[in-house]
Amino acid sequence: MNAQEFLTLFQKKEVSQSFDYYDDVVAILKEVRENKDEALKTYSQQFDQQTLTSLKVPVEKLKASYDTLEPQVKASLETIKARIEAYETAIKYQDKSLGEFRYVYRPLEKVGVYVPGGTALYPSSVLMTVVPALVAGVSEIHVVTPTFSDNNITFATLYLCGVENVYTVGGAQAIAALAYGTETVPKVDKIVGPGNAYVALAKRLVFGQVGIDMIAGPSEILLYIDETADLDAVVTDVFAQAEHDANARTFVLTESEHLLQQLEEKIQDQLAKQVRADIISLSLKNNHYGIVDKRDNLIAVLNQIAPEHVSIQHQDSAAIIAAINYAGAVFEGHYSPEAIGDYAAGPSHVLPTNRTARFSHGLNVNDFLTSHAVISLTETTYQTIVGAAETIAAKEGLDAHYQSLAIRKGKPND
Ligand SMILES: NC(=O)c1ccc[n+]([C@@H]2O[C@H](COP(=O)([O-])OP(=O)(O)OC[C@H]3O[C@@H](n4cnc5c(N)ncnc54)[C@H](O)[C@@H]3O)[C@@H](O)[C@H]2O)c1
Ligand SMILES: N[C@H](CO)Cc1c[nH]c[nH+]1
Ligand SMILES: [Zn+2]
């Protein structure tokens, strides 16, 4: 399809998607708010087939998971953790002193982290959320995850990061627990982390009661390719996002109809051989788009989709990247595939989906800080600006404000 045809379809789909899970998620939020731990256990039975006697994971169990890791896995986690720490430390906001003003940053106190666990384990999401929080200086981290097996790599990674508060609960009910608090799970100040459509919608609905990082829902990739791209590699990039979720979305943009046909043939040839072919097929059936048009129209489409990931495998990558305004993260060239960002590049893989990169950004250390201005005016500055303030206070009819300003006027503080 061309750019215009795609945009018409995209708009219709976007409107219907946003309500798909609404009733289910609202019911879950209400139930957890009222019945707390009991509701969490009932939902774990219903959605995860787990009979839970307790929800909190003992630290010994986290340690046991860590102790059973092969040395190579421990070393890989350490390597990635160090890269994330270095990156987040480099981009952390510092207090600014501007004479009569200061702008200061403070770490959040209590953060809730969602680590997915429905159809795969996500130790990488532990690193991509917890490490930035630790670099920010967050004092309490509470992790919820639908991860139930003994000796699993998610628990091991949590232990490696020093997280002690871990609860085996997932889905919208886990978000409700962190937002409202239950007997076991405390209410937090902000919830971060990725998850499926239920998790993403629940976060959206509890915003205001607690802070959230963004809508980090089912994965997406947009690949912009030309003849210089290695099509076999591009096929793996398409499958790598589609295998996350039947709701994952993949977009291929190109200026060449022939190239798109070649790619689609390769996708069909290789689909059946994929380990997660069932999920990939569902994702590709409903959420895979090939768009052929001229450069300007493709860039306009890209900025409308504002995809979670953009991968540019094109000889003019620099020019295309310069025109991208909205994306979760952009990957340039053959050696920056999206999958390296999922695990090891450095910036967090927790990124906005479903067009929300038009107004939000990927998770980073600064999302775990709050900030405020400190105002310390000198008398000279005060006397210079008080007249303007009085004038507007009078126009607003707020007399007590006017008096608070006027009483200090012309009275040297000696
Ligand atoms: N945007 C990002 O930054 C990012 C990063 C990593 C992963 N992801 C996404 O995270 C998601 C992981 O999904 P997942 O499903 O494997 O794990 P998940 O932990 O997000 O969801 C599993 C939970 O969903 C709930 N659930 C399942 N079916 C339900 C139903 N019918 N009704 C109510 N609740 C139900 C269950 O409680 C289950 O515990 C994928 O969509 C993946 O693409 C996104
Ligand atoms: N691609 C996901 C973000 O959409 C992140 C991830 C974790 N593990 C593998 N991939
Ligand atoms: Zn991925």
Side-chain angles (χ1 to χ4, degrees):
M1 70 181 84
N2 67 26
Q4 192 49 53
E5 287 162 347
F6 170 78
L7 285 174
T8 310
L9 179 74
F10 183 61
Q11 209 176 12
K12 274 194 209 142
K13 270 206 149 190
E14 196 186 33
V15 172
S16 66
Q17 254 179 10
S18 53
F19 293 102
D20 283 354
Y21 301 96
Y22 188 83
D23 291 343
D24 290 348
V25 172
V26 168
I28 293 170
L29 295 180
K30 278 191 184 157
E31 183 61 22
V32 173
R33 193 173 192 163
E34 278 165 30
N35 293 314
K36 303 180 191 295
D37 281 357
E38 193 192 323
L40 297 181
K41 288 177 184 166
T42 305
Y43 285 129
S44 290
Q45 189 74 60
Q46 183 178 345
F47 299 130
D48 298 298
Q49 295 74 52
Q50 299 293 323
T51 309
L52 300 176
T53 44
S54 69
L55 294 162
K56 189 162 182 187
V57 184
V59 178
E60 302 74 57
K61 201 165 174 184
L62 304 177
K63 182 173 184 312
S65 290
Y66 181 76
D67 289 343
T68 54
L69 287 184
E70 301 98 302
Q72 194 198 347
V73 179
K74 279 187 185 164
S76 301
L77 291 171
E78 294 280 9
T79 301
I80 295 169
K81 183 167 175 278
R83 276 190 75 87
I84 299 171
E85 265 163 9
Y87 172 80
E88 298 294 345
T89 304
I91 65 163
K92 183 179 174 184
Y93 293 153
Q94 302 298 330
D95 291 359
K96 286 188 180 58
S97 197
L98 307 159
E100 292 168 297
F101 309 102
R102 278 180 297 138
Y103 199 70
V104 299
Y105 296 92
R106 299 288 182 260
L108 300 179
E109 200 173 292
K110 273 191 190 183
V111 164
V113 174
Y114 188 90
V115 174
T119 73
L121 292 175
Y122 281 91
S124 55
S125 296
V126 171
L127 295 173
M128 297 291 180
T129 49
V130 170
V131 176
L134 292 172
V135 173
V138 170
S139 33
E140 262 186 53
I141 299 175
H142 296 270
V143 172
V144 289
T145 181
T147 304
F148 307 99
S149 58
D150 284 337
N151 297 336
N152 69 72
I153 189 170
T154 297
F155 287 178
T157 310
L158 288 162
Y159 183 79
L160 171 75
C161 294
V163 177
E164 296 192 342
N165 302 307
V166 181
Y167 313 89
T168 48
V169 57
Q173 58 275 22
I175 300 302
L178 291 169
Y180 308 129
T182 72
E183 295 88 346
T184 306
V185 184
K187 173 178 164 46
V188 298
D189 298 313
K190 185 169 186 173
I191 302 173
V192 305
N196 65 15
Y198 296 97
V199 173
L201 181 56
K203 279 172 67 184
R204 184 170 145 187
L205 293 174
V206 298
F207 173 67
Q209 182 84 24
V210 287
I212 64 164
D213 51 353
M214 75 195 93
I215 309 298
S219 302
E220 299 168 348
I221 190 164
L222 181 152
L223 292 131
Y224 193 137
I225 58 168
D226 72 356
E227 305 69 30
T228 62
D230 172 343
L231 283 193
D232 290 317
V234 173
V235 172
T236 65
D237 298 339
V238 170
F239 289 159
Q241 288 321 287
E243 76 170 343
H244 275 293
D245 192 318
N247 286 322
R249 304 195 300 175
T250 48
F251 307 88
V252 178
L253 274 54
T254 173
E255 292 148 45
S256 158
E257 181 83 53
H258 175 64
L259 189 66
L260 183 64
Q261 274 168 11
Q262 280 183 294
L263 177 71
E264 296 304 327
E265 279 164 23
K266 281 179 182 285
I267 289 176
Q268 290 315 321
D269 280 353
Q270 289 168 40
L271 177 53
K273 294 177 217 144
Q274 300 305 305
V275 173
R276 286 163 68 93
D278 50 345
I279 298 181
I280 297 175
S281 309
L282 283 171
S283 164
L284 295 186
K285 186 164 159 264
N286 296 318
N287 311 303
H288 176 63
Y289 305 90
I291 305 156
V292 184
D293 214 314
K294 60 180 189 170
R295 172 93 50 98
D296 287 355
N297 292 346
L298 292 178
I299 302 262
V301 160
L302 188 162
N303 280 320
Q304 280 305 315
I305 300 172
E308 180 191 12
H309 307 104
V310 176
S311 172
I312 309 291
Q313 299 181 46
H314 192 291
Q315 61 187 338
D316 277 348
S317 61
I320 296 167
I321 288 171
I324 297 175
N325 293 332
Y326 310 110
V330 177
F331 297 80
E332 183 174 18
H334 185 69
Y335 292 105
S336 295
E338 189 280 335
I340 198 74
D342 283 348
Y343 296 106
S348 179
H349 75 206
V350 180
L351 298 167
T353 55
N354 209 10
R355 204 167 172 268
T356 57
R358 286 195 59 96
F359 53 81
S360 58
H361 57 263
L363 187 69
N364 67 67
V365 59
N366 300 311
D367 293 306
F368 296 98
L369 302 173
T370 182
S371 57
H372 56 262
V374 178
I375 298 147
S376 332
L377 300 186
T378 62
E379 185 193 344
T380 308
T381 303
Y382 184 79
Q383 301 301 353
T384 310
I385 62 175
V386 66
E390 279 177 335
T391 302
I392 304 304
K395 284 285 175 203
E396 288 185 350
L398 295 176
D399 189 55
H401 286 67
Y402 183 92
Q403 296 303 334
S404 171
L405 295 164
I407 199 167
R408 294 172 168 88
K409 198 166 132 187
K411 281 192 183 171
N413 184 8
D414 44 24

